[in-house]
Amino acid sequence: MKFYITTPIYYANGIPHIGHSYTTIAADIMARWKRLNNFDVYFLTGTDEHGSKIAEAAKAKGKKPQELCDEMSAKFREAWKLLDISNDDFIRTTEQRHFIAVENIVQTLFDKGLIFKKKYEGMYCIGCERFFAKKDLDENGCCPFHKTKPILQSEENYFFKLSSFQDALLERITDVNHKEHIDIQPEERRNEIVGKLKLGLEDVSFSRSAIEWGIPLPFDKSQTAYVWVDALINYITAVGYPSDETKFKKYWSADIHLMAKDILWFHSVIWPAVLMGAQLPLPKTIYSHGFFTLNGSKMSKSLGNVISPQELVENYGVDAARYLTVTLIPFGHDGDISWQGLTLKYNMDLANNLGNLISRTLKMAEKNFNLKIPQAVLNLELAKNVERNLKETFASNMDNLQLHKAAENLQDAITLVNIQIETDAPWKLAKTDKDKLAVCIYSYLQAIDIIAMYLLSFMPSLAEKIWQITGAPGNINDVAKKYFTNGIIPKEGFSVSGADLQIPGILFPRIL
Ligand code: ME8
């Protein structure tokens, strides 16, 4: 089975921040989880490089647009490397492969009579790269997202007959039995889209005559494709459209387009309409996660109110940065992020719970068994208990993109082992019953190995490290793949008596 997941392609007019990291880490966690479940995964991210926003940013910096895009796109790649993102492809809309796909789609729609020329006057927000109807502006006549006044623009453009897709879209979005059903998640967001769709659709501008920085229309080179049309098409370019039919057939359509609500309309209305117009299959799930503020206000570079991926990693390390970023607020809901909130969660979940479990277990093994897994009767009860706690709930939370809940399941499993340690009181057993102590420590190690496999998607290097520390044989990814696909704990457990353990050092130093 294949699984195709995408993030938005981020505007190359600025550097990556925690908002971009949020979506990208979440998509990465899903991609890793699906790979562990034996899916043939294609995970795409990239940069959106055309349009007035980029052209203006370049001008302000005294650079050519391509020069700015090269620099910024490289920053996104670096950030994703730093955050251990396992994307299979990184697309840039200035690549040749993308020009070909955009020209192809635009020409197809033109040939089908879905594109026509019209004089248009409207309020354009450069931040959003879109026209606004007066009724959609806020009480000050400003863009509701950017709080800036849109500019009145008047030009002769090509328009796309979006209005003719209203019924077809409503049907596909609301009828779960439709063979081309588009599942918009979460439900509140779907309801908003449906409500807006029911009010009617207007045809949308599909090209710009004044913007040179874009892909010229194949049938009228004096106009460039509207940047949103250009951008959305990236999702099919990357999987081979139109030249690699085998790849395209294999991976399209998208199983999940992930993003925040700011761009949900484009993905759930304009994009499917374009695909329908070109007679291509529609995406299966469009998931809008929450939009968050930072310390109660909108993130903005001018306010100095942004957190970079680098800062996150400097403060917490890569694995913790990934875990904290995506689990701090309930996935799918808006919320607020702050350094205090991140640090509090770090101390609670990682330093006090997970870190403590590993360091106390290994310290006991060092003190009493010379850092070797003791010879002991195998007792998988605790491991099985941990597994019972995780197995169904974790998988269903992951598959429903409830990442914060999956993380809670993990914390509960870790707590369960920590409680078992308190109950066993191994520090007393060390004085009274060494054999029982050996059984206990062995069982903690096995339970930790199960936890490590479930941690893999969230904290990949940490999970590998835990696997080594606990003397577990083989490669954790291979074992986990087997485990998640056939659901069986290997008979002997994971770590074997006699294997060498390692002192972990302090995995998560407490932050004051
Ligand atoms: O819109 N909270 O790019 P963009 C949560 N190029 N997510 C956030 C966020 C926040 N405060 N800030 C940003 C574009 N994001 C277009 C997309 S796709 C064909 C074209 C994340 O750089 C979130 O995923 O403005 C949001 O949808 C995206 O960054 C917007 O990125």
Side-chain angles (χ1 to χ4, degrees):
M1 280 253 278
K2 67 92 190 177
F3 180 74
Y4 181 25
I5 183 162
T6 69
T7 72
I9 45 170
Y10 306 111
Y11 284 125
N13 65 334
I15 53 174
H17 58 62
I18 190 171
H20 308 121
S21 311
Y22 186 74
T23 320
T24 312
I25 297 169
D28 184 65
I29 289 173
M30 285 309 289
R32 287 176 183 272
W33 169 245
K34 291 292 181 182
R35 285 192 200 107
L36 288 176
N37 283 275
N38 226 5
F39 281 74
D40 177 356
V41 171
Y42 203 84
F43 166 24
L44 175 71
T45 187
T47 39
D48 189 352
E49 307 192 355
H50 287 132
S52 32
K53 192 164 168 136
I54 307 289
E56 288 209 346
K59 200 167 157 201
K61 291 195 164 94
K63 294 188 180 195
K64 291 225 153 39
Q66 187 66 59
E67 205 185 330
L68 177 73
C69 292
D70 290 348
E71 268 173 36
M72 292 304 155
S73 186
K75 299 253 186 245
F76 277 91
R77 274 180 198 256
E78 274 165 34
W80 303 155
K81 197 157 176 244
L82 180 70
L83 286 171
D84 222 349
I85 302 298
S86 64
N87 52 304
D88 297 289
D89 195 352
F90 185 102
I91 191 163
R92 301 183 56 188
T93 51
T94 48
E95 287 174 65
Q96 186 60 20
R97 59 173 170 162
H98 186 60
F99 272 66
I100 298 169
V102 172
E103 283 172 358
N104 189 296
I105 290 289
V106 173
Q107 185 70 52
T108 306
L109 299 178
F110 186 69
D111 293 344
K112 287 183 188 294
L114 290 166
I115 292 180
F116 62 97
K117 213 170 186 183
K118 170 172 136 177
K119 182 141 174 69
Y120 187 71
E121 197 175 81
M123 304 295 284
Y124 196 81
C125 168
I126 293 181
C128 294
E129 291 280 18
R130 60 170 282 198
F131 283 106
F132 274 98
K134 276 227 169 69
K135 66 174 172 31
D136 293 328
L137 296 173
D138 69 11
E139 62 279 10
N140 303 316
C142 290
C143 159
F145 294 105
H146 294 90
K147 307 287 174 211
T148 47
K149 274 226 153 52
I151 322 165
L152 182 69
Q153 286 193 347
S154 161
E155 19 174 270
E156 194 168 41
N157 286 337
Y158 286 92
F159 271 69
F160 174 58
K161 287 190 183 163
L162 184 64
S163 57
S164 59
F165 292 92
Q166 183 187 5
D167 294 341
L169 282 167
L170 270 171
E171 220 186 325
R172 281 159 183 75
I173 293 170
T174 53
D175 179 1
V176 288
N177 296 317
H178 198 288
K179 65 178 188 318
E180 286 196 302
H181 176 57
I182 308 170
D183 185 15
I184 300 176
Q185 290 287 346
E187 201 184 334
E188 310 90 84
R189 297 275 165 259
R190 175 170 66 243
N191 293 341
E192 279 168 21
I193 295 287
V194 169
K196 243 173 117 181
L197 256 174
K198 283 186 175 157
L199 295 176
L201 280 178
E202 283 178 22
D203 296 336
V204 283
S205 165
F206 228 47
S207 72
R208 308 296 313 277
S209 65
I211 307 294
E212 280 171 30
W213 183 240
I215 301 180
L217 299 183
F219 47 85
D220 182 350
K221 303 268 183 208
S222 70
Q223 302 241 350
T224 52
Y226 170 43
V227 63
W228 263 102
V229 175
D230 171 339
L232 289 161
I233 294 171
N234 92 86
Y235 299 131
I236 55 174
T237 308
V239 286
Y241 186 85
S243 46
D244 188 344
E245 220 178 298
T246 319
K247 185 176 180 185
F248 187 65
K249 275 217 166 104
K250 183 170 177 192
Y251 290 111
W252 186 253
S253 64
D255 293 275
I256 299 181
H257 284 316
L258 191 61
M259 74 215 64
K261 64 181 176 190
D262 54 339
I263 56 176
L264 184 61
W265 177 256
F266 294 96
H267 284 80
S268 40
V269 174
I270 299 184
W271 179 224
V274 166
L275 289 166
M276 271 191 269
Q279 292 179 317
L280 292 172
L282 306 182
K284 297 193 179 91
T285 300
I286 302 179
Y287 197 105
S288 164
H289 61 61
F291 203 80
F292 53 82
T293 48
L294 195 62
N295 296 312
S297 26
K298 187 175 155 44
M299 274 192 283
S300 135
K301 258 186 286 170
S302 50
L303 292 175
N305 194 21
V306 279
I307 293 181
S308 70
Q310 287 75 9
E311 284 174 293
L312 280 170
V313 172
E314 273 160 28
N315 274 273
Y316 305 114
V318 181
D319 288 285
R322 290 169 56 97
Y323 174 88
L324 297 170
T325 305
V326 290
T327 59
L328 196 60
I329 58 172
F331 208 76
H333 294 268
D334 294 349
D336 186 54
I337 280 189
S338 64
W339 282 114
Q340 289 94 314
L342 289 163
T343 299
L344 194 71
K345 193 160 177 62
Y346 170 93
N347 282 336
M348 237 165 50
D349 288 6
L350 302 179
N352 295 350
N353 210 17
L354 177 60
N356 183 30
L357 168 64
I358 294 172
S359 79
R360 75 206 291 205
T361 304
L362 271 298
K363 270 195 194 129
M364 286 185 281
E366 183 187 28
K367 204 164 157 203
N368 298 288
F369 301 104
N370 207 16
L371 267 186
K372 280 209 183 306
I373 302 185
Q375 295 296 332
V377 183
L378 187 64
N379 179 0
L380 281 176
E381 207 179 307
L382 182 62
K384 286 193 173 144
N385 220 344
V386 163
E387 191 198 30
R388 251 194 309 278
N389 256 268
L390 279 171
K391 206 169 182 177
E392 270 139 43
T393 43
F394 183 89
S396 85
N397 282 329
M398 289 296 278
D399 290 336
N400 291 316
L401 269 143
Q402 294 295 289
L403 302 184
H404 59 294
K405 286 195 187 155
E408 268 169 35
N409 299 145
L410 267 165
Q411 289 305 323
D412 290 347
I414 297 163
T415 305
L416 192 143
V417 185
N418 271 328
I419 290 176
Q420 185 64 48
I421 296 180
E422 297 301 322
T423 316
D424 293 340
W427 46 92
K428 284 190 194 148
L429 293 176
K431 293 183 196 133
T432 56
D433 191 343
K434 267 265 167 105
D435 286 345
K436 187 154 182 220
L437 177 69
V439 174
C440 287
I441 291 185
Y442 197 5
S443 75
Y444 307 152
L445 289 168
Q446 309 231 314
I448 291 173
D449 286 341
I450 301 255
I451 290 169
M453 290 196 294
Y454 281 91
L455 276 173
L456 254 179
S457 330
F458 283 87
M459 304 203 257
S461 359
L462 180 86
E464 279 178 29
K465 188 167 178 191
I466 295 176
W467 199 252
Q468 278 169 13
I469 291 167
T470 58
N475 175 312
I476 183 173
N477 282 287
D478 298 340
V479 180
K481 210 167 177 175
K482 276 196 206 131
Y483 169 71
F484 286 118
T485 34
N486 63 27
I488 298 166
I489 304 187
K491 245 208 187 114
E492 295 300 315
F494 303 99
S495 305
V496 190
S497 291
D500 287 323
L501 300 166
Q502 290 170 23
I503 279 293
I506 302 174
L507 291 178
F508 300 108
R510 210 156 279 137
I511 301 178
L512 301 172

